Amino acid sequence: MERIAFLESLSSAFGVSGAEGEVMAILDGQLKKKFAGTRDRLGNRVYTKAGGSESPSILLAAHADEIGFTVQAVHARGYLSFLPVGSWNPLCAVGMPVRVKGKKGLVEGVIGSVPPHHQPKGGGGAVPEWQDLWIDLGARDAQEVRDVFGVRPGDMIVPAVTFRSLADGRTLMGKAWDDRIGCAVMAEALLRLESGKRGHPNSICAVATVQEEVGSRGAMAVADRIEADAALILEGAPADDFPSAADWQAQARMGRGVQIRSYDPSMIASPGLRDFLVGLAEKERIPWQVAVRRSGGTDGGALHKAGQGVPTVVLAVPVRYAHNAVGYIDLGDYEACLRLVCAACRQLSGQVLEAILD
């Protein structure tokens, strides 16, 4: 696997919640030949890898979907009204280049709004409502939208972003790092464990879920079907090292290593598993940072409640400008997350798991 090319393919893939097929095809291309892979009726992908023992079973989970938009209606003059899919700030959408996936393929467009010249005095700084925005494909009327461009209500939309490696060589710019970076960690961890000589004392179940951004719907469909003894949720966490943040507030600094999340409103991390991961990161000299989140949630919220309960921790790569059209990740953070996942899989034997959860 050539890492940068793989990350580019995942970041650039079209994969709004409910339309993750392109992302799943990329993951299948890397994993399906080496690992037993299945697809459920909602679209989740499950890959399994045997270890030295059938138990304990370790679940790795990452969601394949991204936030985006969907066409709500077509105006007589050819404009599209649209709705957000997932959590957006409308200010981030104004002027955004987009791609609409119609029945004839991808169509380029832009999110338009009334320019300040035509707004009431002082209106230029107001936060727009979604109904005040539209998408312009350059069409002359609704018939052209339908017959020439092949676009109709219900079609999905993503930001049109060009993947780039920035000047420092460590920072990658792209869309959908939440959570394509988690998908990449999951896939590369499986491949690294497969090729390594040390093996691992457990069975691994890796799940690429769908529709996390609209309420962890894919995770709910697999939660009770996969009887895991512990779970690692692999995420792209919103970086909080923006200029106005005090140093003591930042818990997801880009370039400072893997985030080990202790709490968010959807899940309280297993204290024993969290402490094991912190100790393992220190032992392996992997840069890490612990987070206690005021808001947000992950697939861990659904997965940790499955069956009799699953000890779960979120491991995340900080993403600067998450839930925006474009974001940054640091390759050092990616490597730190990958190393910790692989180390955990190699050391989480039944005996170790029983001790840390006692």
Side-chain angles (χ1 to χ4, degrees), residues 2 11-12 22 29 48 59 61 73 75 93 107 112 125-126 151 168 185 215 247 252 267 281 299 313 329:
E2 204 289 307
S11 172
S12 302
E22 195 172 311
T48 57
L59 172 65
H75 190 275
V107 181
V151 171
D168 63 0
V185 169
D247 287 342
M267 189 191 78
D299 277 344
V313 172
I329 61 159

Side-chain angles (χ1 to χ4, degrees), residues 269-288:
S270 162
L273 185 56
R274 177 204 60 204
D275 292 346
F276 166 76
L277 292 166
V278 169
L280 189 57
E282 291 181 337
K283 175 185 172 184
E284 300 287 337
R285 297 184 178 179
I286 298 170
W288 60 277

Side-chain angles (χ1 to χ4, degrees), residues 23-61:
V23 183
M24 298 304 189
I26 294 169
L27 293 173
D28 279 346
Q30 290 289 337
L31 300 176
K32 204 168 183 180
K33 291 181 180 179
K34 292 189 176 183
F35 309 100
T38 60
R39 177 188 186 278
D40 67 20
R41 286 178 288 185
L42 204 60
N44 297 300
R45 295 298 196 279
V46 180
Y47 309 95
T48 57
K49 184 185 184 312
S53 173
E54 290 186 2
S55 63
S57 173
I58 309 302
L59 172 65
L60 305 180

Side-chain angles (χ1 to χ4, degrees), residues 21-305:
E22 195 172 311
V23 183
M24 298 304 189
I26 294 169
L27 293 173
D28 279 346
Q30 290 289 337
L31 300 176
K32 204 168 183 180
K33 291 181 180 179
K34 292 189 176 183
F35 309 100
T38 60
R39 177 188 186 278
D40 67 20
R41 286 178 288 185
L42 204 60
N44 297 300
R45 295 298 196 279
V46 180
Y47 309 95
T48 57
K49 184 185 184 312
S53 173
E54 290 186 2
S55 63
S57 173
I58 309 302
L59 172 65
L60 305 180
H63 68 90
D65 61 317
E66 65 185 292
I67 60 170
F69 310 97
T70 187
V71 179
Q72 192 268 329
V74 181
H75 190 275
R77 285 185 286 170
Y79 299 114
L80 309 180
S81 65
F82 66 98
L83 299 175
V85 177
S87 176
W88 283 94
N89 182 339
L91 280 175
C92 298
V94 176
M96 181 191 298
V98 295
R99 294 188 177 101
V100 184
K101 195 167 192 177
K103 65 179 180 180
K104 296 185 177 182
L106 294 174
V107 181
E108 305 284 339
V110 67
I111 295 179
S113 65
V114 176
H117 315 68
H118 299 290
Q119 293 185 19
K121 187 175 181 181
V127 177
E129 300 289 340
W130 288 112
Q131 60 265 28
D132 298 326
L133 304 176
W134 61 85
I135 290 175
D136 188 344
L137 304 178
R140 297 296 179 264
D141 53 39
Q143 182 178 0
E144 187 173 17
V145 171
R146 182 184 67 246
D147 297 338
V148 178
F149 297 158
V151 171
R152 59 188 176 182
D155 287 342
M156 293 296 187
I157 306 157
V158 297
V161 175
T162 301
F163 176 94
R164 290 186 178 89
S165 179
L166 300 189
D168 63 0
R170 291 173 55 91
T171 304
L172 300 182
M173 184 179 81
K175 73 171 180 64
W177 292 126
D178 177 10
D179 183 32
R180 303 296 161 67
I181 196 64
C183 290
V185 169
M186 182 183 74
E188 194 167 349
L190 283 179
L191 294 168
R192 186 174 287 192
L193 291 166
E194 175 73 9
S195 62
K197 296 179 180 179
R198 288 181 285 172
H200 52 94
N202 48 52
S203 64
I204 297 173
C205 179
V207 182
T209 63
V210 298
Q211 300 190 44
E212 188 268 0
E213 296 291 3
V214 289
S216 293
R217 297 171 188 176
M220 292 178 186
V222 300
D224 290 323
R225 187 157 47 91
I226 298 173
E227 296 181 359
D229 296 302
L232 301 177
I233 311 301
L234 310 177
E235 266 287 355
D240 53 6
D241 55 357
F242 33 83
S244 60
D247 287 342
W248 64 270
Q249 290 178 302
Q251 298 179 330
R253 295 179 178 90
M254 205 173 89
R256 297 291 186 90
V258 55
Q259 181 194 79
I260 303 171
R261 189 176 300 182
S262 184
Y263 173 92
D264 66 44
S266 73
M267 189 191 78
I268 300 171
S270 162
L273 185 56
R274 177 204 60 204
D275 292 346
F276 166 76
L277 292 166
V278 169
L280 189 57
E282 291 181 337
K283 175 185 172 184
E284 300 287 337
R285 297 184 178 179
I286 298 170
W288 60 277
Q289 47 195 322
V290 165
V292 176
R293 289 284 308 278
R294 293 179 182 273
S295 61
T298 71
D299 277 344
L303 293 171
H304 85 286
K305 295 180 286 188

